[in-house]
């Protein structure tokens, strides 16, 4: 707002307040002049604008889950254990072998399902169903533990052309996950005491996927220190969000 308009508005407010009487608690009062807005300063205008990214951030990650059926196109009838096992099979370097980072996850999958052993050891977490894509049908938000690193894999799936499609994928040391509208919000600990990361993925119809729309560091208040994410978590966060 131009400064002259601000001053004029403030003057009118003072006249109205005076006319209403000094003791009138409901009258308008001038708040004083508003500081002049400062426009953004463009730095290094001589630089040639980039036409392609220098690093792969992973803005759009969609993939058909092979070998997993969707009975009647009802995502609630999908075999969740089969979904996780399909991902393990497609990423053997991460799950198979004594040196694989998530080898314990693969081992504990034997505890999942009706014929499994100790169900409390199954790394697959409780699923959540909500229409995130806005097509009138529920989508699946699924999490499973990445062990022994104590990370959490967050995935979102939808049904397209009778196939299960993964439309979001993110791994990190997670302190909280929320669903809000068409967004998935993930909170992760920061190495800076008293702060945490807040990342938000939101459905985008043009990309036909969940896109990372917000990546910010927020103050948490009275917390004295934050758990330090593992090296694997930090590397994954950098590749997924650029932070």
């Amino acid at each position: 707002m131009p400064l002259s308009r601000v001053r004029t508005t403030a003057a009118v407010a003072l006249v109205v307040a005076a006319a209403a009487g000094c003791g009138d608690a409901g009258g308008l009062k001038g708040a004083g002049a508003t500081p002049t807005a400062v426009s953004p300063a463009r730095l290094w205008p001589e630089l040639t604008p980039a036409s392609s990214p220098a690093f792969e951030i992973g803005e759009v990650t969609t993939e058909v889950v092979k070998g997993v059926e969707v009975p009647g196109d009802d995502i609630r009838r999908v075999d969740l254990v089969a979904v996780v096992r399909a991902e393990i099979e497609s990423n053997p370097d991460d799950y198979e072998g004594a040196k694989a980072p998530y080898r314990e996850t693969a081992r504990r999958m034997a505890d999942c399902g009706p014929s499994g052993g100790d169900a409390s050891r199954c790394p697959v977490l409780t699923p959540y169903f909500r229409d995130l894509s806005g097509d009138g049908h529920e989508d699946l938000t699924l999490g499973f533990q990445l062990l022994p690193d104590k990370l959490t894999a967050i995935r979102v799936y939808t049904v397209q052309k009778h196939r299960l499609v993964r439309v979001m994928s993110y791994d990190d040391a997670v302190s909280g996950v929320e669903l809000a509208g068409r967004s998935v919000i993930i909170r992760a600990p920061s190495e800076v005491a008293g702060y945490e990361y807040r990342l938000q993925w939101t459905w985008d119809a043009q990309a036909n996927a969940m896109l990372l729309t917000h990546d910010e560091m927020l103050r948490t208040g009275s917390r004295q220190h934050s758990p330090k994410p593992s090296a694997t978590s930090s590397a994954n966060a950098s590749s997924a969000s650029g932070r």
Side-chain angles (χ1 to χ4, degrees):
M1 179 181 292
L3 184 58
S4 59
R5 189 180 302 175
V6 172
R7 288 174 176 168
T8 301
T9 303
V12 172
L14 288 172
V15 171
V16 173
C22 297
D24 185 0
L28 300 176
K29 296 182 180 180
T34 302
T36 304
V38 179
S39 62
R42 183 185 177 188
L43 306 185
W44 307 299
E46 70 277 8
L47 291 178
T48 302
S51 59
S52 61
F55 304 102
E56 177 62 39
I57 300 177
E59 294 94 339
V60 180
T61 55
T62 61
E63 183 178 342
V64 175
V65 182
K66 298 179 180 179
V68 178
E69 298 181 354
V70 187
D73 286 348
D74 184 356
I75 202 165
R76 284 182 175 265
R77 298 175 62 187
V78 169
D79 185 341
L80 305 180
V81 176
V83 172
V84 178
R85 284 178 174 159
E87 178 162 336
I88 292 175
E89 292 176 0
S90 62
N91 298 276
D93 292 342
D94 291 335
Y95 296 95
E96 297 179 4
K99 295 183 179 180
Y102 311 136
R103 57 193 178 277
E104 186 63 23
T105 295
R107 293 171 183 166
R108 292 195 182 188
M109 290 302 295
D111 293 306
C112 302
S115 59
D118 185 356
S120 64
R121 288 173 49 84
C122 177
V124 183
L125 305 178
T126 302
Y128 290 88
F129 300 91
R130 177 180 291 193
D131 180 9
L132 296 173
S133 59
D135 63 356
H137 301 282
E138 291 181 320
D139 302 301
L140 166 64
T141 302
L142 181 64
F144 57 95
Q145 297 172 310
L146 298 174
L147 304 169
D149 277 356
K150 297 183 179 180
L151 305 181
T152 304
I154 308 297
R155 307 285 186 264
V156 175
Y157 302 89
T158 188
V159 178
Q160 298 176 357
K161 299 180 180 179
H162 315 295
R163 301 178 300 177
L164 186 69
V165 181
R166 189 182 68 198
V167 293
M168 179 208 148
S169 175
Y170 183 71
D171 306 332
D172 205 345
V174 173
S175 56
V177 182
E178 302 172 10
L179 297 179
R182 297 185 182 178
S183 298
V184 177
I185 302 171
I186 298 175
R187 292 184 292 110
S190 165
E191 296 175 348
V192 181
Y195 290 82
E196 69 177 5
Y197 290 111
R198 182 181 183 274
L199 303 101
Q200 178 174 326
W201 276 263
T202 303
W203 176 261
D204 184 273
Q206 181 174 345
N208 201 33
M210 304 289 290
L211 299 186
L212 180 59
T213 52
H214 293 83
D215 182 355
E216 55 189 345
M217 179 182 284
L218 300 177
R219 186 171 179 82
T220 58
S222 59
R223 187 168 63 185
Q224 297 300 317
H225 61 85
S226 302
K228 184 176 180 180
S230 67
T232 303
S233 170
S234 300
N236 186 287
S238 298
S239 64
S241 62
R243 61 176 164 96

